[in-house]
Amino acid sequence: MRRKLIAGNWKMNGSLAGNAALLDGLRAGCANLNADLAVCVPAPYLAQVQATLTGSGIVWGAQDVSVHESGAYTGEVSVSMLKDFACRYVIVGHSERRSYHGESDELVAQKAVRALGAGLVPIVCVGETLQEREQGQTNAVVTRQLKAVLDAVGTQLAGIVIAYEPVWAIGTGKTATPDMAQQVHELIRTNLAQRDAAAASTIQVLYGGSMKPDNAKELLAMADIDGGLIGGAALKAADFLAIAQAA
Ligand code: PEP
């Protein structure tokens, strides 16, 4: 039985004062949950999150990482910097990075490898656009994105988390139905099992895309949905905790 993981992606939101209120709310409400909680925050707030959440049971991470270890890469953040702030997770290949920053399947795969090498857990995002879904390419796109990562991580497969995030559902209020999501999660599980059956049975495959308190329960009830990657609803403690309670 895989334990559920509810991970928040704050994206480029937050302020010291606003984060303090949100984190206090999460700390206050996180006891007795049947799910693990994580928040992936903008890098400048990692120190605040570490100071506030240490000892709470909630873990934290970043939203992206460089493929380089150090050097002349202005604006980049390395895995060792994330380790300095005791990050557990790092999101790689979010669709906003793929589309606005031109990240290729290969770059995403290299980031996953770099994260694993540093002892971080990469949350690898995959998912199709609306056009790709309408053209019947969902399975091919997800399989291609996944293959790049699976080829690159090799025997370290068991150390990753995957998030299926249909691009058309992110931040739009449109959610994949539980059956639609389950169909892709099953495809992902099958792809994983072809590499390593034992790892496939333990790897958490999260759903992301307008998951909210009112739709979380049905999605999280599906056989291959092991949690959620939550954007908008992660910015309100009550909503984020309600999703965790639905798990
Ligand atoms: C995301 O950014 O990963 C996400 C799923 O966003 P939202 O929940 O707002 O759709």
Side-chain angles (χ1 to χ4, degrees):
M1 180 77 182
R2 292 176 295 271
R3 191 166 162 84
K4 298 270 197 277
L5 170 64
I6 306 296
N9 172 16
W10 290 7
K11 312 196 190 201
M12 197 174 72
N13 293 296
S15 64
L16 286 175
N19 302 345
L22 174 53
L23 294 167
D24 285 349
L26 295 182
R27 269 198 84 119
C30 69
N32 305 320
L33 291 173
N34 277 327
D36 293 328
L37 286 191
V39 289
C40 294
V41 308
Y45 297 129
L46 285 170
Q48 180 190 23
V49 169
Q50 181 183 22
T52 311
L53 293 184
T54 296
S56 68
I58 304 173
V59 296
W60 56 92
Q63 300 170 11
D64 184 34
V65 73
S66 177
V67 286
H68 305 290
E69 180 47 52
S70 66
Y73 301 103
T74 302
E76 296 268 76
V77 171
S78 71
V79 285
S80 38
M81 293 173 189
L82 300 186
K83 291 294 284 181
D84 273 347
F85 293 96
C87 287
R88 174 164 171 76
Y89 293 104
V90 59
I91 297 171
V92 297
H94 191 281
S95 62
E96 289 154 14
R97 303 272 341 152
R98 291 180 190 259
S99 64
Y100 305 148
H101 300 272
E103 294 199 4
S104 64
D105 294 340
E106 288 67 35
L107 183 73
V108 172
Q110 285 170 31
K111 289 184 174 191
V113 170
R114 178 64 79 177
L116 285 165
L120 291 161
V121 178
I123 300 177
V124 179
C125 299
V126 296
E128 80 288 0
T129 63
L130 184 58
Q131 191 187 27
E132 288 163 343
R133 175 161 283 268
E134 287 175 349
Q135 291 175 348
Q137 294 170 359
T138 298
N139 290 4
V141 168
V142 169
T143 301
R144 186 202 75 222
Q145 292 174 335
L146 198 55
K147 180 179 184 304
V149 173
L150 302 186
D151 285 350
V153 302
T155 56
Q156 296 191 88
L157 177 59
I160 69 173
V161 168
I162 293 166
Y164 168 56
E165 298 208 306
V167 179
W168 48 271
I170 297 177
T172 59
K174 291 183 191 152
T175 318
T177 65
D179 287 336
M180 280 161 79
Q182 168 59 26
Q183 186 262 321
V184 180
H185 280 241
E186 201 176 318
L187 169 84
I188 291 171
R189 189 86 58 204
T190 304
N191 273 280
L192 296 173
Q194 283 163 358
R195 306 283 177 138
D196 181 339
S201 68
T202 61
I203 291 175
Q204 290 162 313
V205 184
L206 316 182
Y207 170 79
S210 298
M211 194 187 269
K212 311 267 184 239
D214 61 1
N215 60 23
K217 197 168 181 150
E218 294 173 287
L219 286 159
L220 294 169
M222 303 309 285
D224 289 295
I225 300 186
D226 307 316
L229 183 57
I230 320 294
L235 300 175
K236 286 191 190 149
D239 286 356
F240 193 57
L241 291 168
I243 293 172
Q245 276 149 10

